[in-house]
Each structure stands twice: as structure tokens, then as C-alpha cells.
């Protein structure tokens, strides 16, 4: 075989190899861009959160209505006013009751004067009876005369006692008229803020009869003492007890959370919906903490996270990196992804404690939702990877 033929065969083989290499290069699997997180040590908490939004409540709040209907004559406050305990809030028209009270007072005065008259006569009759008894003992008068004088004295004394009873009766009538008047006025049972008033001067105010929801005349709240009430899933209720630490966040104060404590766990389940049974918990905020909340408004929506357990300085993995069965994808030094089984401990939506399977410094994939992310796949690091 000539040298020219040999060179041509070698050249052909080189071309064929280059073409094959080009086809393989074009069809080779492209590395998957993944986001990685380096395993570190830190805090992991086990916590549970409310199922529906909680609410900021006032420690004292009352919705006041007069115990009888009537036309509003006086509105002594307006919405937003600060009031003191015992301050007049509203008064219904009660001129008829005031007239009855004035009449009862005059009857008391009349009864007292009649008492004075009857008791004076009774005292005179008793003195006269004593004189008649003395004369009878001396033999100057008959026994019948003595008996008649003593009977008259007893009758006069009974008239005096009856007059006193009339005074007591008229005083009771005065008290009754005052009770009736009290049904037409509203006083503040505690110091607070008037949140809402239903009705204006001249309008008719009606109390709520049984079974008929009628808006209260005045809604009074004490906004100096606030707490948060939040519904927790009935499944989580056995894990919660008074004194546990919580974190509270408010829609009105985004990207902030504030420390607090569980004050009370309701002793019953609320069935607002058939498939959403919850247990209410009351939470007080720590106003002495460095991160105390600013002034809150009653009615703010709030979310409560109850901290069940805490582990400090433990190996942790982002919860988003965990797959079903406690598996993670670890970035290998050869540029491929390797599956690894881990044993986990405490967990929350952000971090999970790692007991076995990972060490600080390992890098795990957190972008599991991307197509092609699987064991053995070649990868490149996404620019958005956390350091």
C-alpha cells in the first residue's frame, strides 16, 4: 500500500472521529443550573402558627345599651372621646319619671309630718294614761277609766308606728323611681375610649330583645390593655400551654415580629366551619422587650407563631432542600449531583435540624423544582446561589 493511500485513510479516520466528537458534543446533556446553599450551624425552632388571622382585642370592652327604649335626649360624648369611670355617656328622655320622683319626694315629706303629728299625740296619750293609772291607784277614779286611758294610749302609739311605716313606704317609692330613671342613662363602667355610637339626639334608642341582634348604643373599649386572640388548629391545641413563647406579626406592621407569651388556651373547640375546628389562644405582648410593638389598634389582624422547642448551634439544612423520605441532593466535587439520606430533628418552614448525613460546609440543592434536577445530573451553580 502506498504512503499516499495510508495518509488518506488516516485523514478519513480523523475526520470521522471529529464528526463523531462533534455529534456527541452537540447531543451531550447540558449541565443544570441549580441554586446551592452551604450547610451551617445555627438555631432551629419547632413552632406552630394560627390557621386564620388573629385579632387585637382590648382587655376590657363593653357594648352598652339602656335597659329600656326611649328618645335620646343627651349625648354627652362623641366617637373617639376618652372618658373616665362613672362619666355620663347618654341619657334618654325621662321627664315622666322625674315627675314621679318629685311626687314621691313630696309624699315622703307629707308622711314625715303625719308621723310627727301621730307620734306627738301618742306621747301625750301615754302620759295621760300614766296619770290615770296613778289616780286609779289612789282611788280617785274607777278601773274602767284607767283601762280606757291605757287603750287610747296604745291606739295612739299604733297610729304613730303606722305613720312611720308610711314614711318607709314612700322612701321605697322614691328609690323605685330612681331605679327607673337609671334605666334611661348610661355611665362609663370603666375609663376608656368611645369606639362607636349608634344614634343621634332625638332618635329612638332600643335595647336588644332576646334573639334580635340590635347594635349597641355605645361601644366602649379600654385600649390601655391589649392582647391578641388567635385560632389554632385543634390538632395543635394539645401542644400549647400558658407561658410558652410566641412571635406576633401584624399586617399593619409588615416584615416585623414581636415577642410575647401565651396567656390562656380556651378549654373548648370552636366550630366556625364544620371542617375548620379551632381552639382560641390569648397572647400578651412583651412591652418591656427591646423590640416592643408601637401603639396598636383594637381590631388589627395578627398572626401568632407559638415556639414549641429550640435547638441552638446545631447543623441545619434549609427545609426547602428536603425531599420526601429525608433525602437531599448534594453538590459533588465532580460536577454532578449525589443523593444523600439524612436523619432530621426539629423542623420549621425555614430550617430543619440534621442529626446525621450532613456536615457543615456541604452544599445542597434548594432549587428542586427545576427540570432535570436529579441524582447523577451534571450541574452548574446559578448566580443566585446563596453563599
Amino acid at each position: 500500500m502506498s504512503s499516499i493511500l495510508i495518509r488518506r485513510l488516516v485523514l478519513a479516520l480523523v475526520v470521522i472521529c471529529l464528526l463523531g466528537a462533534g455529534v456527541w458534543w452537540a447531543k451531550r446533556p447540558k449541565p443544570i443550573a441549580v441554586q446551592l446553599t452551604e450547610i451551617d450551624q445555627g438555631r432551629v425552632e419547632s413552632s406552630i402558627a394560627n390557621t386564620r388571622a388573629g385579632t387585637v382585642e382590648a382587655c376590657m370592652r363593653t357594648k352598652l345599651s339602656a335597659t329600656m327604649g326611649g328618645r335620646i335626649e343627651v349625648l354627652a360624648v362623641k366617637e373617639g372621646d376618652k372618658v373616665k369611670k362613672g362619666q355620663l355617656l347618654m341619657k334618654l328622655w325621662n321627664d315622666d319619671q322625674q315627675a314621679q320622683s318629685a311626687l314621691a319626694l313630696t309624699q315622703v315629706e307629707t308622711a314625715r309630718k303625719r308621723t310627727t303629728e301621730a307620734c306627738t299625740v301618742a306621747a301625750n296619750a301615754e302620759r295621760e294614761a300614766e296619770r290615770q293609772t296613778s289616780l286609779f291607784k289612789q282611788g280617785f277614779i274607777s278601773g274602767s277609766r284607767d283601762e280606757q286611758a291605757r287603750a287610747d294610749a296604745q291606739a295612739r302609739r299604733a297610729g304613730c308606728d303606722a305613720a312611720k311605716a308610711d314614711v318607709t313606704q314612700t322612701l321605697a317609692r322614691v328609690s323605685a323611681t330612681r331605679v327607673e330613671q337609671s334605666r334611661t342613662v348610661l355611665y362609663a363602667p370603666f375609663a376608656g375610649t368611645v369606639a362607636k355610637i349608634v344614634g343621634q339626639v332625638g332618635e329612638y334608642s332600643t335595647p336588644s330583645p332576646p334573639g334580635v341582634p340590635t347594635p349597641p348604643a355605645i361601644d366602649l373599649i379600654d385600649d390601655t390593655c391589649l392582647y391578641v386572640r388567635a385560632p389554632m388548629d385543634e390538632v395543635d391545641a394539645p401542644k400549647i400551654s400558658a407561658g410558652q413563647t410566641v412571635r406576633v406579626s401584624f399586617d399593619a406592621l409588615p416584615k416585623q415580629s414581636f415577642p410575647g407569651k401565651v396567656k390562656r388556651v380556651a378549654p373548648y373547640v370552636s366550630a366556625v366551619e364544620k371542617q375548620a375546628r379551632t381552639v382560641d389562644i390569648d397572647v400578651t405582648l412583651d412591652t418591656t422587650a427591646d423590640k416592643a410593638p408601637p401603639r396598636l389598634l383594637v381590631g388589627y389582624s395578627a398572626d401568632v407563631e407559638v415556639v414549641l422547642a429550640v435547638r441552638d448551634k446545631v447543623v441545619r439544612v434549609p427545609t426547602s432542600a428536603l425531599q420526601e423520605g429525608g433525602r437531599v441532593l448534594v453538590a459533588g466535587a465532580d460536577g454532578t449531583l449525589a443523593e444523600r439520606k439524612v436523619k432530621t430533628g426539629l423542623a420549621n418552614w425555614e430550617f430543619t435540624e440534621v442529626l446525621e448525613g450532613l456536615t457543615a460546609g456541604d452544599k445542597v440543592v434548594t432549587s428542586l423544582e427545576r427540570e432535570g434536577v436529579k441524582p447523577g445530573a451534571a450541574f452548574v451553580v446559578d448566580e443566585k446561589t446563596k453563599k
Side-chain angles (χ1 to χ4, degrees):
M1 184 180 295
S2 65
S3 60
I4 296 175
L5 181 58
I6 293 174
R7 285 196 297 270
R8 288 178 179 177
L9 288 174
V10 171
L11 182 60
L13 288 172
V14 171
V15 171
I16 292 172
C17 290
L18 290 175
L19 289 174
V23 171
W24 174 83
W25 181 262
K27 294 184 177 181
R28 81 190 192 288
K30 294 183 178 179
I32 305 298
V34 296
Q35 292 185 355
L36 302 178
T37 296
E38 185 173 337
I39 299 300
D40 63 358
Q41 289 188 339
R43 168 176 287 200
V44 178
E45 296 178 345
S46 174
S47 61
I48 52 178
N50 50 294
T51 57
R52 298 191 308 275
T55 306
V56 176
E57 304 278 2
C59 296
M60 289 195 293
R61 181 172 188 171
T62 182
K63 298 181 179 182
L64 303 168
S65 290
T67 56
M68 63 181 298
R71 179 172 55 83
I72 300 175
E73 184 177 41
V74 175
L75 265 179
V77 294
K78 59 182 181 296
E79 292 182 358
D81 281 357
K82 300 284 187 180
V83 298
K84 298 179 180 179
K85 181 179 180 179
Q87 182 176 333
L88 175 66
L89 304 178
M90 187 180 77
K91 175 178 173 293
L92 304 181
W93 180 86
N94 62 356
D95 290 358
D96 55 340
Q97 295 175 358
Q98 292 183 43
Q100 291 290 336
S101 180
L103 176 60
L105 287 172
T106 59
Q107 290 174 342
V108 169
E109 187 63 25
T110 301
R112 283 174 174 167
K113 290 180 178 179
R114 287 176 178 171
T115 299
T116 301
E117 178 186 9
C119 292
T120 300
V121 172
N124 289 335
E126 289 170 346
R127 287 192 294 270
E128 179 61 24
E130 291 176 358
R131 285 194 296 268
Q132 293 296 329
T133 299
S134 177
L135 291 174
F136 170 70
K137 290 179 179 180
Q138 296 175 19
F140 293 116
I141 62 172
S142 64
S144 60
R145 181 72 180 270
D146 176 49
E147 291 177 357
Q148 182 180 358
R150 284 188 285 110
D152 183 63
Q154 291 174 355
R156 298 294 183 180
R157 176 53 59 187
C160 172
D161 293 340
K164 290 180 179 179
D166 286 343
V167 172
T168 302
Q169 183 180 23
T170 54
L171 286 173
R173 189 175 297 115
V174 170
S175 297
T177 59
R178 288 174 177 170
V179 169
E180 286 297 311
Q181 289 184 64
S182 69
R183 297 175 61 190
T184 63
V185 292
L186 292 179
Y187 295 98
F190 53 81
T193 302
V194 178
K196 188 173 180 62
I197 298 176
V198 177
Q200 298 293 333
V201 173
E203 294 181 348
Y204 197 88
S205 179
T206 305
S208 297
V212 180
T214 302
I218 293 180
D219 186 3
L220 182 66
I221 60 175
D222 177 11
D223 54 3
T224 61
C225 173
L226 302 177
Y227 68 97
V228 175
R229 175 164 291 175
M232 310 298 290
D233 194 291
E234 62 176 339
V235 176
D236 296 326
K239 307 173 187 175
I240 307 173
S241 59
Q244 286 179 317
T245 301
V246 301
R247 283 190 295 269
V248 184
S249 57
F250 305 93
D251 289 347
L253 303 170
K255 298 181 181 180
Q256 300 182 67
S257 63
F258 306 95
K261 297 284 186 182
V262 176
K263 179 182 180 182
R264 169 184 173 271
V265 180
Y268 58 89
V269 174
S270 298
V272 178
E273 300 176 7
K274 291 183 178 180
Q275 303 302 322
R277 298 179 184 272
T278 58
V279 175
D280 288 340
I281 65 170
D282 294 344
V283 171
T284 56
L285 294 168
D286 187 358
T287 56
T288 62
D290 295 337
K291 194 177 180 182
R295 181 174 178 269
L296 301 175
L297 300 180
V298 175
Y300 267 171
S301 60
D303 290 316
V304 175
E305 185 180 5
V306 181
V307 179
L308 302 178
V310 179
R311 300 280 192 276
D312 284 317
K313 297 181 180 180
V314 296
V315 177
R316 61 184 186 176
V317 62
T319 302
S320 60
L322 283 173
Q323 296 179 301
E324 187 177 354
R327 296 173 293 111
V328 294
L329 290 179
V330 181
D334 60 353
T336 61
L337 302 177
E339 186 177 82
R340 191 178 298 178
K341 178 77 173 179
V342 296
K343 183 178 179 181
T344 59
L346 289 183
N348 57 36
W349 63 272
E350 186 177 9
F351 289 107
T352 298
E353 179 187 11
V354 177
L355 303 176
E356 296 178 5
L358 290 174
T359 59
D362 288 340
K363 294 182 179 180
V364 296
V365 178
T366 55
S367 54
L368 298 173
E369 75 286 352
R370 297 185 180 181
E371 185 178 357
V373 175
K374 59 184 179 180
F379 73 91
V380 293
V381 179
D382 193 293
E383 294 180 358
K384 297 180 180 178
T385 293
K386 297 180 181 178
K387 302 296 183 184

